[in-house]
Amino acid sequence: MNFSAYRALARCVVLESLRRKDLWVVAILGFVILLASSTLGFFGFSGLEIFAKDMAVTVLGMFSTIIAVLTSSRLIPDEIKNRTLYPLLARPISRLDLLVGKLIGAVIVTWISFLLLAALTALALMIFHVKFELIMVQYLVAKMLGLVVVCSFAMMLSTYMTPSAAATMSFIFAFGSPMIARGLVMASAENPAVKPVCAVINSLLPQTGLFDLGGRAVYIGWTMVPLWVMGFLFAYGFAYSGATLALSWAKFRRQAV
């Protein structure tokens, strides 16, 4: 493992994101959330706490996924298009090191954006005395693990197809995987003959719905998720991200540049 190369490549991804003003866009979105919350607060939050928290976790999940997909799906294609890949590969790093470093950078950018939005959203709700329970911490941790899966999946697709197609497919699977998985379960229940095929397809999908604890964080009285569940989410996220990274390397190591 070439940790110095990972650190340098990840730093370049963060600086490039700042240069493109991606993080500034997130800050502006957060400011818009504050303004929207102040408009709701004008009418009073009494009885609207659950609605406000539901809106907050929906906005957090949607915008953080968009940032994860757009950041990850253009990393490798942009390096090839701008011919900046040549000086990188001229250095003593392998193509696998390049993929790992880029993925770490995309995850860091996504996490910074997510935590920035979460902090601004929490500030907006705290102004109007909307309280969160301790399970909100688990929601944030699980969501950050899920964003690693989204980043690795989007980067893997970008090595096999165009950036636009990779982003589109990533959005479909990131937002639609719970619905697709439910459809596969229903299809296997209706026709047991296709159950093995549905099970294989379901196992290949990024199960982003597993990382969404927003339903528990919104409503009052939910207990904390057991630690073994969080451990399972971590193990699944690590294994799925490793598998998609291996698929990216299998394509990228033979790719002519």
Side-chain angles (χ1 to χ4, degrees):
M1 293 186 177
N2 194 343
F3 291 106
S4 58
Y6 300 159
R7 185 169 59 252
L9 289 166
R11 182 171 178 269
C12 289
V13 174
V14 176
L15 292 177
E16 180 65 14
S17 179
L18 287 172
R19 188 186 68 80
R20 288 177 170 166
K21 299 181 175 54
D22 293 347
L23 294 177
W24 294 112
V25 171
V26 174
I28 293 172
L29 288 175
F31 182 70
V32 171
I33 292 172
L34 281 170
L35 287 179
S37 300
S38 64
T39 304
L40 287 174
F42 176 77
F43 299 101
F45 261 114
S46 178
L48 296 176
E49 289 85 357
I50 293 177
F51 167 75
K53 289 194 288 187
D54 188 30
M55 185 180 68
V57 297
T58 301
V59 169
L60 279 176
M62 183 173 64
F63 281 112
S64 58
T65 301
I66 291 173
I67 291 167
V69 169
L70 294 182
T71 301
S72 306
S73 62
R74 66 190 181 194
L75 285 176
I76 302 302
D78 278 2
E79 294 287 358
I80 297 174
K81 178 183 176 183
N82 299 329
R83 299 180 182 276
T84 51
L85 190 63
Y86 302 122
L88 285 175
L89 293 180
R91 296 177 181 276
I93 60 173
S94 66
R95 293 195 179 195
L96 179 59
D97 292 335
L98 181 67
L99 289 173
V100 174
K102 290 288 185 181
L103 178 59
I104 293 174
V107 170
I108 291 174
V109 169
T110 305
W111 281 1
I112 291 174
S113 304
F114 175 69
L115 292 175
L116 183 59
L117 276 175
L120 290 169
T121 306
L123 176 63
L125 295 180
M126 286 174 61
I127 291 174
F128 302 107
H129 309 289
V130 177
K131 297 179 180 177
F132 287 98
E133 297 178 314
L134 196 56
I135 194 175
M136 190 64 185
V137 177
Q138 286 189 323
Y139 162 77
L140 294 175
V141 173
K143 194 67 185 177
M144 290 170 72
L145 291 173
L147 290 173
V148 177
V149 173
V150 175
C151 287
S152 62
F153 184 73
M155 192 177 77
M156 183 270 290
L157 290 182
S158 71
T159 59
Y160 287 89
M161 53 187 72
T162 64
S164 301
T168 303
M169 294 295 291
S170 299
F171 283 133
I172 291 174
F173 286 110
F175 290 116
S177 65
M179 185 172 60
I180 297 173
R182 198 177 306 120
L184 291 171
V185 171
M186 293 175 64
S188 60
E190 290 289 332
N191 187 0
V194 299
K195 187 174 181 179
V197 178
C198 293
V200 171
I201 296 174
N202 201 14
S203 64
L204 296 177
L205 294 176
Q207 304 293 339
T208 54
L210 295 175
F211 300 92
D212 191 359
L213 302 180
R216 284 175 171 263
V218 167
Y219 293 99
I220 300 171
W222 281 95
T223 57
M224 297 281 286
V225 174
L227 288 179
W228 69 266
V229 175
M230 298 300 293
F232 168 79
L233 292 178
F234 177 81
Y236 173 77
F238 183 81
Y240 195 89
S241 301
T244 51
L245 182 64
L247 289 173
S248 304
W249 180 63
K251 172 67 176 177
F252 186 57
R253 68 174 180 171
R254 301 191 306 269
Q255 186 171 350
V257 295

